[in-house]
Coordinates of all heavy atoms in Angstrom, one line a residue:
M1 N -16.4 -8.4 10.8 CA -15.7 -7.7 9.8 C -14.2 -8.0 10.0 O -13.7 -8.0 11.0 CB -15.9 -6.2 10.0 CG -15.2 -5.3 9.0 SD -15.4 -3.6 9.4 CE -16.1 -3.1 7.9
K2 N -13.6 -8.3 8.8 CA -12.2 -8.7 8.8 C -11.3 -7.4 9.1 O -11.6 -6.3 8.6 CB -11.8 -9.3 7.5 CG -10.5 -9.9 7.4 CD -10.3 -10.7 6.1 CE -9.0 -11.4 6.1 NZ -8.7 -12.1 4.9
Q3 N -10.2 -7.5 9.9 CA -9.4 -6.4 10.2 C -7.9 -6.8 9.8 O -7.5 -7.9 9.8 CB -9.5 -6.1 11.6 CG -10.8 -5.5 12.0 CD -10.8 -5.1 13.5 OE1 -9.9 -5.4 14.3 NE2 -11.9 -4.4 13.9
C4 N -7.1 -5.7 9.6 CA -5.7 -5.9 9.4 C -5.0 -6.3 10.7 O -5.2 -5.6 11.7 CB -5.1 -4.6 8.8 SG -3.3 -4.6 8.7
T5 N -4.2 -7.3 10.6 CA -3.4 -7.8 11.8 C -2.0 -7.3 11.7 O -1.2 -7.7 12.6 CB -3.4 -9.3 11.8 OG1 -2.9 -9.8 10.6 CG2 -4.9 -9.8 12.0
H6 N -1.7 -6.4 10.8 CA -0.3 -5.9 10.6 C -0.1 -4.5 10.9 O 1.1 -4.0 11.1 CB 0.1 -6.2 9.2 CG 0.0 -7.6 8.8 ND1 -1.2 -8.1 8.2 CD2 0.8 -8.7 9.0 CE1 -1.0 -9.4 8.1 NE2 0.2 -9.8 8.5
S7 N -1.1 -3.7 11.0 CA -1.0 -2.2 11.1 C -0.3 -1.8 12.4 O 0.5 -0.8 12.5 CB -2.3 -1.5 11.0 OG -3.2 -2.0 12.0
D8 N -0.4 -2.6 13.5 CA 0.2 -2.2 14.8 C 1.7 -2.4 14.7 O 2.5 -1.8 15.5 CB -0.3 -3.1 15.9 CG -1.7 -2.7 16.3 OD1 -2.2 -1.6 15.9 OD2 -2.4 -3.5 16.9
A9 N 2.2 -3.2 13.8 CA 3.7 -3.4 13.7 C 4.4 -2.5 12.7 O 5.6 -2.5 12.5 CB 3.9 -4.9 13.2
L10 N 3.6 -1.6 12.1 CA 4.3 -0.6 11.2 C 5.1 0.4 11.9 O 4.9 0.8 13.0 CB 3.2 0.1 10.4 CG 2.3 -0.7 9.5 CD1 1.2 0.2 8.9 CD2 3.1 -1.3 8.4
P11 N 6.2 0.8 11.3 CA 7.1 1.8 11.9 C 6.5 3.2 12.0 O 5.6 3.5 11.2 CB 8.3 1.9 10.9 CG 7.8 1.3 9.6 CD 6.7 0.4 9.9
H12 N 6.8 3.8 13.1 CA 6.3 5.2 13.3 C 7.5 6.1 13.6 O 8.3 5.8 14.5 CB 5.4 5.3 14.5 CG 4.1 4.5 14.3 ND1 3.1 5.0 13.5 CD2 3.7 3.3 14.7 CE1 2.1 4.1 13.5 NE2 2.4 3.1 14.2
P13 N 7.7 7.2 12.9 CA 6.9 7.6 11.7 C 7.0 6.7 10.6 O 7.9 5.9 10.5 CB 7.4 9.0 11.4 CG 8.8 9.0 11.9 CD 8.9 8.1 13.0
E14 N 6.1 6.8 9.6 CA 6.2 6.0 8.4 C 7.5 6.3 7.6 O 8.0 7.4 7.8 CB 5.0 6.1 7.5 CG 4.8 7.4 6.8 CD 3.6 7.5 5.9 OE1 2.5 7.0 6.3 OE2 3.7 8.0 4.9
P15 N 8.0 5.3 6.9 CA 9.3 5.6 6.2 C 9.2 6.6 5.1 O 8.1 6.8 4.5 CB 9.6 4.2 5.5 CG 8.3 3.5 5.5 CD 7.4 4.0 6.6
E16 N 10.3 7.3 4.8 CA 10.4 8.3 3.8 C 10.3 7.5 2.4 O 10.9 6.5 2.3 CB 11.6 9.1 3.8 CG 11.7 10.0 5.0 CD 10.7 11.2 4.9 OE1 10.6 11.7 3.8 OE2 10.1 11.5 5.9
P17 N 9.6 8.1 1.4 CA 9.6 7.5 0.1 C 11.0 7.4 -0.4 O 11.8 8.3 -0.4 CB 8.8 8.4 -0.7 CG 8.0 9.2 0.2 CD 8.8 9.3 1.5
L18 N 11.3 6.2 -1.0 CA 12.7 6.0 -1.6 C 12.8 6.7 -3.0 O 13.9 6.8 -3.5 CB 13.0 4.5 -1.7 CG 13.0 3.8 -0.4 CD1 13.3 2.3 -0.7 CD2 14.1 4.4 0.5
S19 N 11.7 7.1 -3.6 CA 11.7 7.7 -4.9 C 10.4 8.5 -5.1 O 9.5 8.4 -4.3 CB 11.8 6.7 -6.0 OG 10.7 5.8 -6.0
D20 N 10.3 9.3 -6.1 CA 9.1 10.1 -6.4 C 8.1 9.3 -7.3 O 7.0 9.8 -7.5 CB 9.5 11.4 -7.1 CG 10.3 12.3 -6.2 OD1 10.0 12.2 -5.0 OD2 11.0 13.2 -6.7
T21 N 8.6 8.3 -8.0 CA 7.8 7.5 -8.9 C 8.2 6.0 -8.8 O 9.1 5.7 -8.0 CB 7.9 8.0 -10.3 OG1 6.9 7.4 -11.1 CG2 9.3 7.8 -10.9
C22 N 7.6 5.2 -9.5 CA 7.9 3.8 -9.5 C 9.2 3.5 -10.3 O 9.2 3.8 -11.5 CB 6.7 3.0 -10.2 SG 7.0 1.2 -10.3
P23 N 10.3 3.1 -9.6 CA 11.5 2.9 -10.3 C 11.5 1.8 -11.3 O 12.2 1.9 -12.4 CB 12.5 2.7 -9.2 CG 11.7 2.2 -8.0 CD 10.4 2.8 -8.2
E24 N 10.7 0.8 -11.1 CA 10.6 -0.3 -12.1 C 9.9 0.2 -13.4 O 10.4 -0.2 -14.5 CB 9.8 -1.5 -11.5 CG 10.5 -2.2 -10.4 CD 10.3 -1.5 -9.0 OE1 9.6 -0.6 -8.9 OE2 10.9 -2.1 -8.0
C25 N 8.9 1.0 -13.3 CA 8.2 1.6 -14.5 C 9.2 2.6 -15.2 O 9.3 2.5 -16.4 CB 7.0 2.4 -14.1 SG 5.6 1.4 -13.7
L26 N 10.0 3.3 -14.4 CA 10.9 4.2 -15.0 C 12.0 3.5 -15.8 O 12.3 3.8 -16.9 CB 11.6 5.1 -13.9 CG 12.4 6.3 -14.3 CD1 11.6 7.3 -15.0 CD2 13.1 6.9 -13.0
A27 N 12.5 2.4 -15.2 CA 13.5 1.6 -15.9 C 12.9 0.9 -17.2 O 13.6 0.8 -18.2 CB 14.0 0.5 -15.0
A28 N 11.7 0.6 -17.1 CA 11.0 -0.1 -18.3 C 10.5 0.9 -19.3 O 10.1 0.5 -20.4 CB 9.9 -1.0 -17.8
G29 N 10.5 2.2 -19.0 CA 10.0 3.1 -19.9 C 8.5 3.2 -20.0 O 7.9 3.7 -21.0
T30 N 7.8 2.7 -18.9 CA 6.3 2.7 -18.9 C 5.9 3.8 -17.9 O 6.7 4.3 -17.1 CB 5.7 1.4 -18.5 OG1 6.3 1.0 -17.2 CG2 6.1 0.3 -19.5
H31 N 4.6 4.1 -17.9 CA 4.1 5.1 -17.0 C 3.1 4.5 -16.0 O 2.2 3.8 -16.4 CB 3.3 6.2 -17.8 CG 4.2 6.9 -18.7 ND1 5.1 7.9 -18.3 CD2 4.4 6.8 -20.1 CE1 5.8 8.3 -19.4 NE2 5.3 7.7 -20.4
P32 N 3.4 4.7 -14.7 CA 2.4 4.2 -13.7 C 1.1 4.9 -13.7 O 1.0 6.1 -14.0 CB 3.2 4.5 -12.3 CG 4.1 5.6 -12.7 CD 4.4 5.5 -14.1
V33 N 0.0 4.1 -13.4 CA -1.3 4.7 -13.4 C -1.4 5.5 -12.1 O -1.8 6.7 -12.1 CB -2.4 3.6 -13.5 CG1 -3.8 4.2 -13.3 CG2 -2.3 3.0 -14.9
Q34 N -1.2 4.8 -11.0 CA -1.2 5.5 -9.7 C -0.1 4.9 -8.9 O 0.3 3.7 -9.1 CB -2.5 5.4 -9.0 CG -3.6 6.1 -9.6 CD -4.8 6.3 -8.7 OE1 -5.0 5.6 -7.7 NE2 -5.7 7.1 -9.1
L35 N 0.4 5.6 -7.8 CA 1.5 5.1 -7.0 C 1.1 4.7 -5.6 O 0.1 5.2 -5.1 CB 2.6 6.2 -6.9 CG 3.2 6.7 -8.2 CD1 4.0 7.9 -8.1 CD2 3.9 5.5 -8.9
R36 N 1.8 3.8 -5.1 CA 1.6 3.2 -3.7 C 2.9 3.3 -3.0 O 4.0 3.0 -3.6 CB 1.1 1.8 -3.8 CG -0.1 1.6 -4.7 CD -1.3 2.3 -4.2 NE -2.5 2.0 -5.1 CZ -3.2 3.0 -5.7 NH1 -2.9 4.2 -5.5 NH2 -4.2 2.7 -6.4
L37 N 2.9 3.5 -1.7 CA 4.1 3.6 -0.8 C 4.0 2.5 0.2 O 3.1 2.3 0.9 CB 4.1 5.0 0.0 CG 5.2 5.1 1.0 CD1 6.5 5.3 0.3 CD2 4.9 6.3 1.8
C38 N 5.1 1.7 0.2 CA 5.2 0.6 1.2 C 5.5 1.2 2.5 O 6.4 2.0 2.7 CB 6.4 -0.4 0.8 SG 6.7 -1.6 2.0
L39 N 4.7 0.8 3.5 CA 4.8 1.4 4.9 C 5.8 0.7 5.7 O 6.0 1.0 6.9 CB 3.4 1.5 5.5 CG 2.5 2.5 4.8 CD1 1.1 2.4 5.5 CD2 3.1 3.9 4.8
T40 N 6.5 -0.3 5.2 CA 7.6 -0.9 5.9 C 8.9 -0.3 5.5 O 9.7 0.0 6.4 CB 7.6 -2.5 5.6 OG1 6.3 -3.0 6.0 CG2 8.8 -3.1 6.3
C41 N 9.2 -0.1 4.2 CA 10.5 0.3 3.8 C 10.5 1.6 2.9 O 11.6 2.1 2.7 CB 11.1 -0.8 3.0 SG 10.4 -1.1 1.4
G42 N 9.4 2.0 2.4 CA 9.3 3.3 1.6 C 9.4 3.1 0.2 O 9.5 4.1 -0.6
H43 N 9.4 1.8 -0.3 CA 9.4 1.6 -1.8 C 8.2 2.2 -2.4 O 7.1 2.1 -1.8 CB 9.4 0.1 -2.0 CG 9.3 -0.3 -3.4 ND1 8.1 -0.5 -4.1 CD2 10.3 -0.5 -4.4 CE1 8.4 -0.8 -5.4 NE2 9.7 -0.8 -5.6
V44 N 8.3 2.8 -3.5 CA 7.2 3.4 -4.3 C 7.0 2.5 -5.5 O 7.9 2.2 -6.3 CB 7.5 4.9 -4.7 CG1 6.4 5.4 -5.6 CG2 7.7 5.7 -3.5
G45 N 5.8 2.0 -5.6 CA 5.4 1.1 -6.8 C 4.1 1.6 -7.4 O 3.3 2.2 -6.8
C46 N 3.9 1.0 -8.6 CA 2.7 1.4 -9.3 C 1.5 0.4 -8.9 O 1.8 -0.7 -8.4 CB 2.9 1.3 -10.8 SG 3.4 -0.3 -11.4
C47 N 0.3 0.9 -9.1 CA -0.9 0.1 -8.7 C -1.2 -1.0 -9.6 O -0.5 -1.2 -10.7 CB -2.1 1.0 -8.5 SG -2.8 1.6 -10.1
D48 N -2.2 -1.9 -9.3 CA -2.5 -3.0 -10.1 C -3.2 -2.6 -11.5 O -3.3 -3.5 -12.3 CB -3.4 -4.0 -9.4 CG -2.6 -4.8 -8.3 OD1 -1.4 -4.6 -8.2 OD2 -3.3 -5.5 -7.5
S49 N -3.5 -1.3 -11.6 CA -4.1 -0.9 -12.9 C -2.9 -0.5 -13.9 O -3.2 -0.3 -15.1 CB -5.0 0.3 -12.7 OG -6.1 -0.1 -12.0
S50 N -1.7 -0.5 -13.4 CA -0.5 -0.3 -14.2 C -0.1 -1.6 -14.8 O -0.3 -2.6 -14.2 CB 0.6 0.3 -13.4 OG 0.2 1.6 -12.9
P51 N 0.6 -1.5 -16.0 CA 1.0 -2.8 -16.6 C 1.9 -3.6 -15.7 O 1.8 -4.9 -15.7 CB 1.8 -2.3 -17.8 CG 1.3 -1.0 -18.1 CD 0.9 -0.4 -16.8
G52 N 2.8 -3.0 -14.9 CA 3.8 -3.8 -14.1 C 3.3 -4.3 -12.8 O 3.9 -5.2 -12.2
R53 N 2.3 -3.6 -12.2 CA 1.7 -4.0 -10.9 C 2.9 -4.1 -9.9 O 3.0 -5.0 -9.1 CB 1.0 -5.3 -11.0 CG -0.1 -5.3 -12.0 CD -0.9 -6.6 -12.1 NE -1.6 -6.8 -10.8 CZ -1.8 -8.0 -10.3 NH1 -1.3 -9.1 -10.8 NH2 -2.4 -8.1 -9.2
H54 N 3.8 -3.1 -9.8 CA 5.0 -3.2 -9.1 C 4.8 -3.1 -7.6 O 5.6 -3.6 -6.8 CB 6.0 -2.1 -9.6 CG 6.5 -2.4 -11.0 ND1 6.3 -1.6 -12.0 CD2 7.1 -3.5 -11.5 CE1 6.8 -2.1 -13.1 NE2 7.3 -3.3 -12.8
A55 N 3.7 -2.4 -7.1 CA 3.5 -2.4 -5.7 C 3.1 -3.8 -5.2 O 3.7 -4.3 -4.1 CB 2.3 -1.4 -5.3
T56 N 2.3 -4.6 -5.9 CA 2.0 -5.9 -5.5 C 3.2 -6.8 -5.7 O 3.5 -7.7 -4.9 CB 0.8 -6.5 -6.4 OG1 -0.3 -5.7 -6.1 CG2 0.5 -7.9 -6.2
E57 N 4.0 -6.6 -6.7 CA 5.2 -7.4 -6.9 C 6.2 -7.2 -5.8 O 6.8 -8.1 -5.2 CB 5.9 -6.9 -8.2 CG 7.2 -7.7 -8.5 CD 7.8 -7.3 -9.8 OE1 7.3 -7.7 -10.9 OE2 8.8 -6.5 -9.8
H58 N 6.3 -5.9 -5.3 CA 7.1 -5.6 -4.1 C 6.6 -6.4 -2.9 O 7.4 -7.0 -2.2 CB 7.1 -4.1 -3.8 CG 7.8 -3.7 -2.6 ND1 9.2 -3.8 -2.5 CD2 7.4 -3.4 -1.4 CE1 9.6 -3.5 -1.3 NE2 8.5 -3.2 -0.5
H59 N 5.3 -6.4 -2.7 CA 4.8 -7.2 -1.5 C 5.1 -8.6 -1.7 O 5.5 -9.3 -0.8 CB 3.2 -7.0 -1.5 CG 2.6 -8.1 -0.7 ND1 2.8 -8.2 0.7 CD2 1.8 -9.1 -1.1 CE1 2.1 -9.3 1.1 NE2 1.6 -9.9 0.0
N60 N 4.9 -9.2 -2.9 CA 5.1 -10.6 -3.1 C 6.6 -10.9 -2.9 O 6.9 -12.0 -2.4 CB 4.7 -11.0 -4.6 CG 3.2 -11.0 -4.7 OD1 2.5 -11.1 -3.8 ND2 2.8 -10.9 -6.0
D61 N 7.5 -10.1 -3.3 CA 8.9 -10.3 -3.2 C 9.5 -10.1 -1.7 O 10.3 -10.8 -1.3 CB 9.7 -9.4 -4.1 CG 9.6 -9.8 -5.6 OD1 9.0 -10.9 -5.9 OD2 10.0 -9.0 -6.4
S62 N 8.9 -9.1 -1.0 CA 9.4 -8.7 0.3 C 8.6 -9.2 1.4 O 9.1 -9.3 2.5 CB 9.4 -7.2 0.3 OG 8.1 -6.7 0.4
G63 N 7.3 -9.5 1.2 CA 6.4 -9.8 2.3 C 5.9 -8.7 3.1 O 5.2 -8.8 4.1
H64 N 6.3 -7.5 2.7 CA 5.9 -6.3 3.4 C 4.3 -6.2 3.3 O 3.8 -6.1 2.1 CB 6.5 -5.0 2.9 CG 8.0 -5.1 3.2 ND1 8.9 -4.2 2.5 CD2 8.8 -5.8 4.0 CE1 10.1 -4.4 2.9 NE2 10.1 -5.4 3.8
P65 N 3.6 -6.1 4.4 CA 2.1 -6.3 4.3 C 1.3 -5.1 3.9 O 0.2 -5.2 3.3 CB 1.8 -6.7 5.7 CG 2.8 -6.1 6.6 CD 4.0 -6.1 5.8
V66 N 1.7 -3.8 4.3 CA 0.7 -2.7 4.2 C 1.4 -1.6 3.3 O 2.5 -1.3 3.5 CB 0.4 -2.1 5.6 CG1 -0.6 -1.0 5.4 CG2 -0.2 -3.2 6.5
M67 N 0.5 -1.0 2.4 CA 0.9 0.1 1.7 C -0.1 1.1 1.8 O -1.2 0.9 2.3 CB 1.2 -0.3 0.2 CG 0.0 -0.8 -0.5 SD -1.0 0.7 -1.2 CE -2.4 -0.2 -1.9
R68 N 0.2 2.4 1.4 CA -0.8 3.4 1.4 C -0.7 4.1 0.0 O 0.3 4.0 -0.7 CB -0.6 4.5 2.5 CG 0.6 5.4 2.2 CD 0.4 6.6 3.2 NE 1.6 7.5 3.2 CZ 1.8 8.4 2.3 NH1 1.0 8.6 1.3 NH2 2.9 9.2 2.4
T69 N -1.8 4.7 -0.4 CA -1.8 5.5 -1.6 C -0.7 6.6 -1.5 O -0.4 7.1 -0.5 CB -3.1 6.1 -1.9 OG1 -3.0 6.8 -3.2 CG2 -3.6 7.0 -0.8
F70 N -0.1 6.8 -2.7 CA 1.0 7.9 -2.8 C 0.5 9.0 -3.7 O 1.3 9.6 -4.3 CB 2.3 7.2 -3.2 CG 3.5 8.1 -3.0 CD1 3.8 8.6 -1.7 CD2 4.4 8.4 -4.0 CE1 4.9 9.4 -1.6 CE2 5.5 9.2 -3.9 CZ 5.8 9.6 -2.6
E71 N -0.8 9.1 -3.8 CA -1.5 10.1 -4.6 C -1.9 11.3 -3.8 O -2.5 11.1 -2.7 CB -2.7 9.4 -5.3 CG -2.4 8.4 -6.3 CD -1.5 8.8 -7.4 OE1 -1.8 9.9 -8.0 OE2 -0.5 8.2 -7.8
P72 N -1.7 12.5 -4.3 CA -2.1 13.7 -3.6 C -3.6 13.7 -3.3 O -4.4 13.3 -4.1 CB -1.8 14.8 -4.5 CG -0.8 14.3 -5.5 CD -1.1 12.8 -5.6
G73 N -3.9 14.0 -2.0 CA -5.4 14.2 -1.7 C -6.0 12.8 -1.3 O -7.2 12.8 -0.9
E74 N -5.3 11.7 -1.3 CA -5.8 10.4 -0.9 C -5.1 10.0 0.4 O -4.0 10.3 0.6 CB -5.6 9.4 -2.0 CG -6.4 9.7 -3.3 CD -6.2 8.6 -4.3 OE1 -5.6 7.6 -4.1 OE2 -6.8 8.8 -5.5
E75 N -5.9 9.3 1.2 CA -5.4 8.9 2.5 C -5.4 7.4 2.8 O -5.0 7.0 3.9 CB -6.2 9.6 3.6 CG -6.1 11.1 3.5 CD -4.7 11.6 4.0 OE1 -4.1 11.0 4.9 OE2 -4.3 12.7 3.4
W76 N -6.0 6.6 2.0 CA -6.3 5.2 2.4 C -5.0 4.3 2.4 O -4.0 4.6 1.8 CB -7.3 4.6 1.5 CG -7.0 4.6 0.0 CD1 -7.3 5.6 -0.9 CD2 -6.3 3.6 -0.7 NE1 -6.9 5.3 -2.1 CE2 -6.3 4.1 -2.1 CE3 -5.8 2.4 -0.4 CZ2 -5.7 3.4 -3.1 CZ3 -5.2 1.7 -1.4 CH2 -5.1 2.2 -2.8
R77 N -5.2 3.2 3.1 CA -4.1 2.2 3.2 C -4.7 0.8 2.9 O -5.9 0.6 3.1 CB -3.5 2.1 4.7 CG -2.8 3.4 5.1 CD -2.5 3.3 6.5 NE -1.7 4.6 6.8 CZ -0.9 4.6 7.8 NH1 -0.7 3.5 8.6 NH2 -0.2 5.7 8.1
W78 N -3.9 -0.1 2.4 CA -4.3 -1.5 2.1 C -3.4 -2.5 2.6 O -2.2 -2.4 2.5 CB -4.3 -1.6 0.6 CG -4.7 -3.0 0.1 CD1 -3.9 -3.9 -0.5 CD2 -6.0 -3.6 0.1 NE1 -4.6 -5.1 -0.8 CE2 -5.9 -4.9 -0.5 CE3 -7.3 -3.1 0.5 CZ2 -7.0 -5.7 -0.6 CZ3 -8.4 -3.9 0.4 CH2 -8.2 -5.2 -0.2
C79 N -3.9 -3.6 3.2 CA -3.2 -4.7 3.7 C -3.3 -5.8 2.7 O -4.3 -6.3 2.4 CB -3.7 -5.2 5.1 SG -2.7 -6.6 5.7
F80 N -2.1 -6.1 2.1 CA -2.1 -7.2 1.0 C -2.4 -8.6 1.6 O -3.0 -9.4 1.0 CB -0.7 -7.3 0.4 CG -0.4 -6.1 -0.5 CD1 0.4 -5.1 -0.2 CD2 -0.9 -6.1 -1.8 CE1 0.7 -4.1 -1.1 CE2 -0.6 -5.1 -2.7 CZ 0.2 -4.1 -2.3
V81 N -2.0 -8.8 2.9 CA -2.1 -10.1 3.5 C -3.6 -10.4 3.9 O -4.1 -11.4 3.6 CB -1.2 -10.2 4.7 CG1 -1.4 -11.5 5.4 CG2 0.3 -10.0 4.3
D82 N -4.2 -9.4 4.6 CA -5.6 -9.6 5.1 C -6.6 -9.1 4.1 O -7.8 -9.3 4.3 CB -5.7 -8.8 6.4 CG -4.9 -9.4 7.5 OD1 -4.8 -10.6 7.6 OD2 -4.2 -8.6 8.3
H83 N -6.2 -8.5 3.0 CA -7.1 -8.0 1.9 C -8.2 -7.1 2.4 O -9.4 -7.2 2.2 CB -7.7 -9.2 1.2 CG -6.7 -10.2 0.6 ND1 -6.0 -9.9 -0.5 CD2 -6.3 -11.4 1.1 CE1 -5.2 -10.9 -0.7 NE2 -5.4 -11.8 0.2
V84 N -7.7 -6.1 3.2 CA -8.7 -5.1 3.8 C -8.0 -3.7 3.7 O -6.8 -3.5 3.8 CB -9.0 -5.4 5.3 CG1 -9.9 -6.7 5.4 CG2 -7.8 -5.5 6.2
L85 N -8.9 -2.7 3.7 CA -8.5 -1.3 3.9 C -8.2 -1.2 5.4 O -8.8 -1.7 6.3 CB -9.6 -0.3 3.5 CG -9.9 -0.2 2.0 CD1 -11.1 0.6 1.8 CD2 -8.7 0.4 1.3
V86 N -7.1 -0.4 5.7 CA -6.6 -0.3 7.0 C -7.1 1.1 7.6 O -6.9 2.1 6.9 CB -5.0 -0.4 7.1 CG1 -4.6 -0.1 8.5 CG2 -4.6 -1.7 6.6

């Protein structure tokens, strides 16, 4: 089974969210479907079901490997590099 090779390097505690919603969607006047929190820097971006796919764009631009859901009641994390749930 494939495992994330990046989770041990994440900051503890995790970073504070830099915003309450996806700032790129807000600037574009679009609505995010669901939100994701970058566990390296705290950037909040929309999921791949949103038109902008800003969480993935943030990973592509920054190289930050792991994000977690920023939705109430959800707990999962995703590693963009290893393509696995953390």
Side-chain angles (χ1 to χ4, degrees):
M1 177 186 241
K2 194 172 182 181
Q3 294 184 349
C4 173
T5 58
H6 304 92
S7 58
D8 289 342
L10 294 174
H12 294 284
E14 69 181 38
E16 291 292 320
L18 298 177
S19 60
D20 292 333
T21 191
C22 177
E24 292 87 359
C25 284
L26 192 62
T30 60
H31 298 283
V33 175
Q34 290 195 349
L35 298 172
R36 311 291 182 237
L37 174 69
C38 174
L39 292 179
T40 300
C41 71
H43 176 269
V44 176
C46 60
C47 73
D48 285 356
S49 295
S50 297
R53 303 179 68 218
H54 294 118
T56 297
E57 181 180 282
H58 175 73
H59 160 69
N60 291 338
D61 292 346
S62 68
H64 297 164
V66 182
M67 64 85 185
R68 76 163 171 84
T69 180
F70 196 53
E71 294 298 314
E74 295 183 5
E75 297 289 326
W76 57 270
R77 296 171 175 207
W78 176 255
C79 179
F80 287 104
V81 178
D82 294 318
H83 305 283
V84 293
L85 288 171
V86 177

